[in-house]
Amino acid sequence: MTVRAEADGACVVACSGEFDQDTIGLLQATCERETTRAKPLVLDVKNVTFADSSFLNTLIRLRNTRSLSLAGPLPDQLHRLLDMTGTLALFEMCEDGEETG
């Protein structure tokens, strides 16, 4: 994971690899540590190769505590997870720096 601040004040956390019950703690700790002052938060998820319900739960918790956007394009597996759980519409999506809503 890498973290960068954008000129508009947003904090971008670039996620890559697999996120499950055993690995989600790093993302949670990073978001808590690095984004306490930054609004909004952007999670760059284009390099996520696997995500389970632990990842989804973290996304929902983050969304409930701050402005959150997902930068993509969404990987197929993550898109299926969000679509099948009915949560896709909860998240503001950005592709190539443009909000898609």
Side-chain angles (χ1 to χ4, degrees), residues 40-83:
L41 172 63
V42 178
L43 288 183
D44 182 343
V45 296
K46 68 179 169 261
N47 293 315
V48 172
T49 57
F50 176 79
D52 71 359
S53 60
S54 301
F55 188 77
L56 176 59
N57 189 31
T58 297
L59 292 181
I60 292 170
R61 285 183 187 178
L62 289 170
R63 179 191 174 274
N64 288 340
T65 60
R66 62 182 48 93
S67 174
L68 173 68
S69 298
L70 302 180
L74 287 178
D76 290 339
Q77 189 271 331
L78 181 55
H79 187 274
R80 279 192 306 277
L81 174 67
L82 296 176
D83 188 46

Side-chain angles (χ1 to χ4, degrees), residues 10-61:
C11 180
V12 179
V13 177
C15 306
S16 63
E18 298 184 1
F19 291 89
D20 59 22
Q21 179 178 334
D22 295 327
T23 59
I24 197 65
L26 180 59
L27 175 63
Q28 292 169 337
T30 299
C31 289
E32 288 174 15
R33 181 182 67 243
E34 299 291 342
T35 65
T36 54
R37 294 178 305 243
K39 297 250 181 191
L41 172 63
V42 178
L43 288 183
D44 182 343
V45 296
K46 68 179 169 261
N47 293 315
V48 172
T49 57
F50 176 79
D52 71 359
S53 60
S54 301
F55 188 77
L56 176 59
N57 189 31
T58 297
L59 292 181
I60 292 170
R61 285 183 187 178

